[in-house]
Amino acid sequence: MTIKKATFVISNSDYRKCPDSRLPEYAFIGRSNVGKSSLINMLTGVKDLAKTSSKPGKTQLINHFLINDDWHLVDLPGYGYARTSKVNRGTWQKMIADYMLKREQLTNVFVLVDSRIPPQTIDLEFINFLGTNGIPLSIIFTKTDKQKQREIAATVNNYKAILSQSWEEPPMMFLTSAATGYGRDQVLDYIDSINQELGTIK
Ligand SMILES: Nc1nc2c(ncn2[C@@H]2O[C@H](COP(=O)(O)OP(=O)(O)OP(=O)(O)O)[C@@H](O)[C@H]2O)c(=O)[nH]1
Ligand SMILES: [Mg+2]
């Protein structure tokens, strides 16, 4: 898929105030600092479309971007950010859970995990939360430029082994690097194939 147009639409904390449209929606989630916003910039080819930071906790709201006038891409705040207060954590959980469970346009959730670290409980819990609630998901391994191929393969296999204990078939997995653009076509073509299947894109 060629990205012809990528524009910011709206930020908010309430799924009911998200854009009132029937366009399919693809959300990006994962631990704080895993590289969600960077990946969105890499995929769209627009450098500062989503705000990034070397410090965790940069993205705080549900951010909608309109792509090619055909679909929405959604940047979300990360989970597992230790410096957030308990109150904030509760608010985050409700905002995200409501969005995931109630946003009808949500077509696929990309769960981002750092290719350098072994499967973490918090990520597995989130993946299982989506699975249990029948929300389609894929896994994106980020920052592959920082890791040797052999080590990345070991992490991927580790995920597959763990998930195959509770899943008949593990979710789709993608290897990416926002730094080099690695994996861009694979992710975009996957989104395109779902859009075509839905028949929403002419
Ligand atoms: N080397 C490398 N660094 C990356 C990559 N992706 C992200 N980073 C760096 O990781 C840090 C966090 O990136 P963000 O995109 O802001 O992460 P985020 O997941 O959106 O973080 P929050 O919004 O805080 O949840 C930044 O310093 C990025 O430059 C990557 O593929 N390779
Ligand atoms: Mg972010």
Side-chain angles (χ1 to χ4, degrees):
M1 170 174 28
T2 315
I3 305 290
K4 289 169 269 178
K5 205 164 139 195
T7 49
F8 169 73
V9 185
I10 194 170
S11 293
N12 63 71
S13 58
D14 186 342
Y15 77 95
R16 283 164 298 200
K17 294 184 191 149
C18 291
D20 181 17
S21 89
R22 303 308 307 163
L23 296 178
E25 200 158 299
Y26 297 84
F28 292 74
I29 193 131
R31 291 212 289 164
S32 271
N33 211 244
V34 71
K36 301 174 289 296
S37 303
S38 303
L39 183 78
I40 287 167
N41 294 339
M42 183 274 262
L43 291 174
T44 57
V46 184
K47 201 171 154 264
D48 295 317
L49 188 63
K51 301 280 169 294
T52 66
S53 168
S54 55
K55 293 194 207 95
K58 178 69 179 173
T59 311
Q60 295 279 343
L61 294 166
I62 303 168
N63 298 288
H64 275 71
F65 301 93
L66 179 62
I67 313 298
N68 293 349
D69 293 329
D70 284 336
W71 54 282
H72 279 121
L73 187 160
V74 180
D75 191 14
L76 294 167
Y79 47 78
Y81 175 38
R83 272 163 61 196
T84 304
S85 69
K86 268 210 180 117
V87 176
N88 267 348
R89 233 174 286 163
T91 312
W92 181 92
Q93 269 171 3
K94 174 141 181 50
M95 173 170 87
I96 297 302
D98 279 353
Y99 169 77
M100 295 286 163
L101 296 169
K102 298 177 185 165
R103 179 78 175 159
E104 285 174 15
Q105 296 88 332
L106 185 59
T107 304
N108 192 66
V109 178
F110 290 99
V111 180
L112 276 61
V113 295
D114 194 319
S115 61
R116 299 168 298 176
I117 33 189
Q120 303 288 301
T121 307
I122 194 165
D123 294 315
L124 295 168
E125 277 176 2
F126 197 83
I127 290 166
N128 286 327
F129 159 78
L130 294 174
T132 322
N133 286 288
I135 302 164
L137 75 121
S138 326
I139 298 177
I140 291 186
F141 293 90
T142 64
K143 309 191 185 184
T144 57
D145 57 287
K146 289 196 167 190
Q147 182 73 306
K148 290 202 181 72
Q149 237 172 352
R150 197 162 24 90
E151 288 156 341
I152 298 168
T155 307
V156 172
N157 286 335
N158 218 339
Y159 264 95
K160 282 187 180 156
I162 293 171
L163 291 175
S164 66
Q165 291 168 13
S166 47
W167 293 61
E168 230 163 84
E169 209 182 310
M172 277 288 275
M173 297 185 185
F174 299 92
L175 303 183
T176 65
S177 162
T180 68
Y182 186 76
R184 181 174 187 266
D185 290 350
Q186 283 77 0
V187 175
L188 289 178
D189 287 351
Y190 182 64
I191 293 174
D192 196 34
S193 71
I194 301 174
N195 283 340
Q196 299 297 339
E197 231 171 84
L198 292 171
T200 47
I201 316 295
K202 285 136 258 133

